[in-house]
Amino acid sequence: DKPDDPAGLYLATGDEAAARAAINDLMKELRRWTDEVLDGDNYTEGIHDIGYTRPMRLLTLVFDAVAGSRVMTAAERHWCLRTFAFHGYCLADANRWPDVSQGFHRGNINFNSDDYTCRAAVIALLAGHPKQREWMDYVAAEMEKELAASVFPGGAWIEAPNYQGYTMHYLMIAWRLMQLNGFRDFSKEPTFRATIDYLVRMQTPR
């Protein structure tokens, strides 16, 4: 039977057959999302929100897991990176995710977190791309604004703890990717440490 998480199985066991299955799934999904963008009139409803960013972030992590596999060819690796670059442009397009200054409401606060942390995951793959620094600077600026607006004195987060846990999951992935790739390091930001401390204290018995 086909494993539910072939990329995870490859990481755990080194099974190249699992890597091959993960690569096939990855390329199939990248093609599907690319068609979704190209077939729409500008952007369809499914492209501008978390229905797009959450799967796209996961695809970047799958690529990162299997890109070093012996069964991924150079041509496949090149195609995936070109496709991620295409989606980098889509993610950065203000017509897809308008700035609040344009009068559009972005929904829950965590929807914007979801968006810019997905951008970070895609951008981190694009070493040498002429837009990489510009795009990652946007991510860092959005993170700064979110921490300033969302963390209260004492570390409380602006949304409920279950939403905060979800947001922190994506933020920490993005921060680690930025750190590893030579971009801004948020790991020692006082507001981040305060809100993580607050969240952890709520989840533990003492």
Side-chain angles (χ1 to χ4, degrees):
D1 291 338
K2 180 181 175 182
D4 291 333
D5 180 12
L9 180 61
Y10 169 67
L11 285 179
T13 66
D15 182 353
E16 296 288 350
R20 183 70 261 167
I23 293 163
N24 291 344
D25 288 348
L26 167 67
M27 296 181 72
K28 178 181 176 182
E29 284 301 297
L30 281 174
R31 288 189 188 97
R32 185 176 73 80
W33 281 111
T34 302
D35 288 344
E36 182 81 15
V37 174
L38 295 175
D39 290 346
D41 181 11
N42 196 359
Y43 291 108
T44 62
E45 183 176 351
I47 293 298
H48 72 255
D49 60 12
I50 60 177
Y52 172 53
T53 56
R54 291 181 182 178
M56 188 56 58
R57 181 192 296 102
L58 180 58
L59 293 177
T60 68
L61 300 178
V62 170
F63 175 80
D64 188 57
V66 300
S69 166
R70 292 193 304 273
V71 297
M72 187 173 215
T73 68
E76 289 172 331
R77 194 174 298 108
H78 183 66
W79 181 87
C80 287
L81 288 171
R82 284 173 59 90
T83 305
F84 280 124
F86 168 79
H87 286 281
Y89 282 101
C90 295
L91 287 161
D93 190 337
N95 288 321
R96 186 199 62 84
W97 192 249
D99 188 81
V100 291
S101 63
Q102 297 184 37
F104 289 87
H105 195 284
R106 288 174 164 180
N108 294 346
I109 290 170
N110 62 80
F111 285 7
N112 189 51
S113 319
D114 221 307
D115 182 86
Y116 71 71
T117 56
C118 173
R119 298 189 197 203
V122 172
I123 296 162
L125 297 175
L126 305 179
H129 191 283
K131 289 284 189 178
Q132 189 187 39
R133 173 64 63 177
E134 175 189 333
W135 288 344
M136 200 66 94
D137 285 347
Y138 168 87
V139 170
E142 289 299 303
M143 287 181 174
E144 266 194 346
K145 287 189 282 188
E146 178 155 31
L147 288 173
S150 300
V151 182
F152 290 89
W157 187 255
I158 197 168
E159 293 185 298
N162 59 324
Y163 275 80
Q164 182 186 6
Y166 217 83
T167 301
M168 289 297 115
H169 170 64
Y170 289 146
L171 282 173
M172 285 189 284
I173 291 173
W175 285 332
R176 183 59 172 156
L177 291 171
M178 293 170 75
Q179 184 186 58
L180 290 172
N181 286 278
F183 295 100
R184 182 166 169 186
D185 185 353
F186 279 83
S187 64
K188 292 183 172 58
E189 286 288 327
T191 48
F192 163 63
R193 298 179 76 86
T195 198
I196 285 293
D197 182 68
Y198 179 88
L199 181 63
V200 169
R201 288 174 184 273
M202 294 182 68
Q203 311 305 316
T204 53
R206 301 180 68 180

